[in-house]
């Protein structure tokens, strides 16, 4: 089950953050990687991990969809997914999610194959959270079965359903029922899935820390989140949507810091500084794509060497 880039005991991971429409940044970077290497992303890594919008990218890559098509998904469909709020009242979020999940579901059905996780040979992890039990939930493709481990829970789950669960950000989309589980956005605990992917490499694939390297792609971070205010209510100081973004951003940063401390130079992260663009903002897709182009241009040698696993 080793990919073509594997060398001895080395193990390469792709980890893609959540971030709503800002996922176009990660998709564009990976599209440039595919173009430069002449290989699909799934053939460049031994394990793919994604959260929320990152699960769309990682899931599409595992299914063999060119990342250029995923960039097109964001460009053509973001306004459809995050169209008009389901109810226009400024207080509607008190009793319903802001957007209908139906639009996102239709987009995924349009772009993704109707494939169950058992039929995906590329090792893939998609994070979510089980709000019925208060626990974490990680969907996995069939690699556990290939490794001789028990694989009973996820085999019949559609790739699209796993992604819908991972994308169900609280207050943005309703939770997704998958079998007996009631699931929501994995960004609540693993917006940057680097650490859980590293844990999987060690515990399931039997790799040593010295064998693992991770290419981690964020969806942009801001240094202009909050300022002093006289009132810190949910609608005044914290801001409902901004609070969700802030919480997920903190998790991404913590995971990146831990991975860097553990792996050192074997952890490469791209996460451009952006303005405080929210998860459902569709006005800045072109700007985000341009940021991805810039980052890849300036760091292409480092990125490609990291993925190729040139000698250290």
């Amino acid at each position: 089950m080793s990919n073509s880039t594997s060398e001895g005991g080395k193990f390469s991971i792709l980890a893609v953050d959540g971030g709503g429409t800002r996922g176009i940044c990660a998709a564009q970077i990976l599209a440039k990687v595919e173009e430069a290497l002449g290989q699909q992303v799934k053939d460049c890594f031994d394990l793919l991990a994604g959260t929320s919008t990152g699960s769309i990218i990682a899931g599409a890559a595992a299914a063999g969809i060119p990342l250029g098509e995923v960039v097109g998904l964001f460009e053509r469909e973001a306004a459809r997914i995050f169209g008009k709020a389901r109810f226009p009242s400024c207080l509607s979020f008190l009793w319903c999610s802001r957007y209908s999940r139906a639009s996102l579901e239709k987009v995924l059905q349009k772009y993704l194959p109707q494939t169950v996780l058992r039929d995906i040979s590329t090792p893939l992890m998609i994070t979510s959270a089980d709000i019925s039990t208060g626990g974490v939930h990680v969907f996995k493709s069939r690699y556990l079965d290939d490794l001789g481990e028990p694989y009973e829970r996820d085999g019949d789950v559609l790739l699209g359903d796993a992604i819908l669960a991972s994308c169900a950000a609280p207050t943005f989309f309703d939770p997704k029922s998958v079998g007996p589980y009631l699931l929501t956005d994995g960004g609540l605990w693993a917006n940057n899935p680097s650490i859980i992917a590293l844990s999987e490499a060690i515990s399931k694939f039997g790799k040593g820390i010295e064998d693992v390297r991770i290419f981690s792609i964020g969806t942009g971070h801001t240094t202009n989140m909050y300022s002093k205010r006289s009132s810190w209510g949910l609608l005044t100081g914290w801001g409902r949507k901004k609070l969700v973004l802030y919480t997920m951003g903190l998790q991404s940063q913590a995971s990146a810091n831990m991975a860097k401390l553990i792996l050192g130079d074997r952890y490469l992260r791209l996460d451009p500084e952006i303005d405080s663009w929210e998860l459902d903002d569709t006005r800045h897709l072109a700007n985000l794509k341009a940021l991805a182009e810039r980052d890849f241009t300036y760091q292409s040698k480092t990125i490609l060497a990291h993925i190729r696993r040139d000698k250290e």
Side-chain angles (χ1 to χ4, degrees), residues 40-56:
Q40 289 193 312
V41 161
K42 70 183 183 69
D43 297 320
C44 298
F45 298 92
D46 298 298
L47 175 63
L48 309 181
T51 295
S52 197
T53 195
S55 75
I56 298 175

Side-chain angles (χ1 to χ4, degrees), residues 132-165:
S132 61
T133 64
V136 302
H137 192 104
V138 181
F139 293 101
K140 301 178 182 182
S141 62
R142 74 170 193 224
Y143 66 86
L144 290 180
D145 191 44
D146 293 338
L147 292 170
E149 295 270 347
Y151 182 61
E152 301 171 353
R153 190 187 68 182
D154 298 337
D156 294 327
V157 174
L158 284 169
L159 173 63
D161 284 346
I163 292 173
L164 280 172

